Amino acid sequence: MKRISLALGGGGTKGFAHIGVIRQLEKLGYQIRAVSGTSAGGIVGALYAYGIVTEKIEAFSKSLKYSELFSRSADDPPSLLGLGGLNKQLENILGDACFDQARIPFGVTTVDIHSGDEVIINSGRLVDAAKATSAIPGIFPAMEIGKHTLVDGGVLDPVPVSLARWLQPDLPVVAVSLTPQMEDWPKVPRIDIPPYVPIPQIIIDHLSQFRLGKAMHIFIDSMEIMINKITDLRLRLDKPDMIIRPKVHEYTMFDKVDIDHVIRLGEQAVLDALPNLKNMNSPDKRLNRWFRAAKPPGKILKPDECLPGSDVREDHH
């Protein structure tokens, strides 16, 4: 029986590739028995763990309107952009559903900006966890849960392998990384403010000519390099049983991507990795799993009691 735990990494709109990865793994007979996620991986992971099939996650992705995706709400904390459009759609599909309503174990990584700790969310409302793990610092609003101010888990753990292993200690962990390998970093396109954000283009054009705008580009490029390096180091440290890397590096995290194309890249990445997928239960890898799965990789957040929500999974299986 081919049972695995899946760790889905961040990557903005490149995260649609996770749909293709999941779909192809299922076609090959792999049973995904736990999911961990960071940022975009946390959003796809929440939908899948709740029982929504890949066809409906794909339909959800295609229903997102880029012109509304980064809208702000009046009560948003300080940030460059909002996630009003995305959050509204997540609320529509997940409602008040809680982790204990998920069909498989699920968790996301976040970072508390006050303590600097990696914080794991695996209880409470699924939609709150998805919002917290995708709050890129300064770009999107931080998420307040209790006394914690939480931002994107990719700050410390871009592909949450240890969390996936902790959720299902006996199973191989397949990590899905949307960042390039080190030798491919120079080929990655530069991140710019996309034209569909709710900022007048004339302001974007003028800002790019000022010193502040140029400084912002250097800051964003540096953050991207940092995240790529942290991803590489964490994967080396956490040692997943298998790494799948969809070739989505022609896109940046804010690009308006061709969803069908990105999903196909996810599917192809699984097929490319197939020979290695068959070797995940070697004795040395089983010993590695046993040794590393003893404790959670971060502090476990205990949100307030979850609101009872209706089960909206009808016809998802």
Side-chain angles (χ1 to χ4, degrees), residues 16-25 54 262-268 270:
F16 297 127
H18 290 314
I19 301 170
V21 170
I22 293 170
R23 180 176 294 165
Q24 191 62 52
L25 286 170
T54 57
V262 171
I263 289 175
R264 286 195 299 271
L265 291 175
E267 293 173 333
Q268 185 58 49
V270 175

Side-chain angles (χ1 to χ4, degrees), residues 108-110 117-121 156-157 162-163 166 234 295-301:
V108 303
T109 60
T110 66
D117 292 325
E118 182 173 351
V119 176
I120 306 304
I121 305 178
L156 291 177
D157 199 355
S162 294
L163 177 55
W166 178 69
R234 285 299 301 248
K295 61 181 181 179
K299 292 188 175 181
I300 305 296
L301 182 65

Side-chain angles (χ1 to χ4, degrees), residues 56-73:
K56 293 200 172 184
I57 301 177
E58 179 180 350
F60 165 82
S61 303
K62 291 179 176 178
S63 74
L64 297 173
K65 297 179 180 179
Y66 280 82
S67 60
E68 301 174 1
L69 197 62
F70 298 137
S71 61
R72 290 182 55 83
S73 301

Side-chain angles (χ1 to χ4, degrees), residues 1-5 28-33 170-172 277-278 280-281 289:
M1 185 178 299
K2 298 186 286 188
R3 301 166 69 239
I4 60 172
S5 187
L28 293 172
Y30 286 90
Q31 296 182 14
I32 300 169
R33 304 309 303 155
D170 297 327
L171 299 184
L277 281 168
K278 296 177 180 178
M280 290 190 297
N281 278 309
R289 291 198 291 273

Side-chain angles (χ1 to χ4, degrees), residues 110-307:
T110 66
V111 174
D112 188 327
I113 63 171
H114 296 306
S115 67
D117 292 325
E118 182 173 351
V119 176
I120 306 304
I121 305 178
N122 68 338
S123 62
R125 294 204 317 158
L126 289 166
V127 72
D128 289 341
K131 291 177 184 179
T133 193
S134 55
I136 300 175
I139 306 297
F140 301 131
M143 182 72 181
E144 301 283 347
I145 299 182
K147 298 179 180 180
H148 300 273
T149 301
L150 303 174
V151 296
D152 192 327
V155 171
L156 291 177
D157 199 355
V159 186
V161 172
S162 294
L163 177 55
R165 186 174 286 128
W166 178 69
L167 290 170
Q168 285 284 17
D170 297 327
L171 299 184
V173 174
V174 175
V176 185
S177 175
L178 304 180
T179 60
Q181 298 191 66
M182 293 179 65
E183 59 268 24
D184 293 326
W185 289 359
K187 305 174 188 176
V188 176
R190 184 179 183 182
I191 295 176
D192 281 310
I193 298 176
Y196 54 82
V197 301
I199 301 175
Q201 187 62 41
I202 189 171
I203 295 178
I204 295 175
D205 292 340
H206 278 292
L207 180 62
S208 66
Q209 301 304 315
F210 295 149
R211 286 191 175 187
L212 178 61
K214 294 177 180 179
M216 181 64 72
H217 273 301
I218 293 173
F219 172 74
I220 291 174
D221 289 345
S222 300
M223 286 289 292
E224 182 78 353
I225 292 170
M226 182 184 72
I227 290 172
N228 287 343
K229 187 64 176 179
I230 291 173
T231 300
D232 181 70
L233 292 173
R234 285 299 301 248
L235 289 173
R236 290 172 184 267
L237 175 67
D238 296 333
K239 298 186 183 301
D241 298 276
M242 179 68 212
I243 302 174
I244 295 175
R245 291 183 185 268
K247 296 178 180 179
V248 292
H249 314 316
E250 64 190 270
Y251 299 110
T252 73
M253 67 174 64
F254 296 129
D255 281 350
K256 187 175 182 179
V257 302
D258 179 336
I259 293 176
D260 290 325
H261 178 231
V262 171
I263 289 175
R264 286 195 299 271
L265 291 175
E267 293 173 333
Q268 185 58 49
V270 175
L271 296 176
D272 293 342
L274 192 55
N276 292 324
L277 281 168
K278 296 177 180 178
N279 298 319
M280 290 190 297
N281 278 309
S282 62
D284 59 322
K285 290 191 174 182
R286 289 200 300 269
L287 180 62
N288 176 64
R289 291 198 291 273
W290 176 84
F291 181 74
R292 291 173 176 270
K295 61 181 181 179
K299 292 188 175 181
I300 305 296
L301 182 65
K302 295 294 183 183
D304 294 337
E305 184 177 355
C306 194
L307 296 173

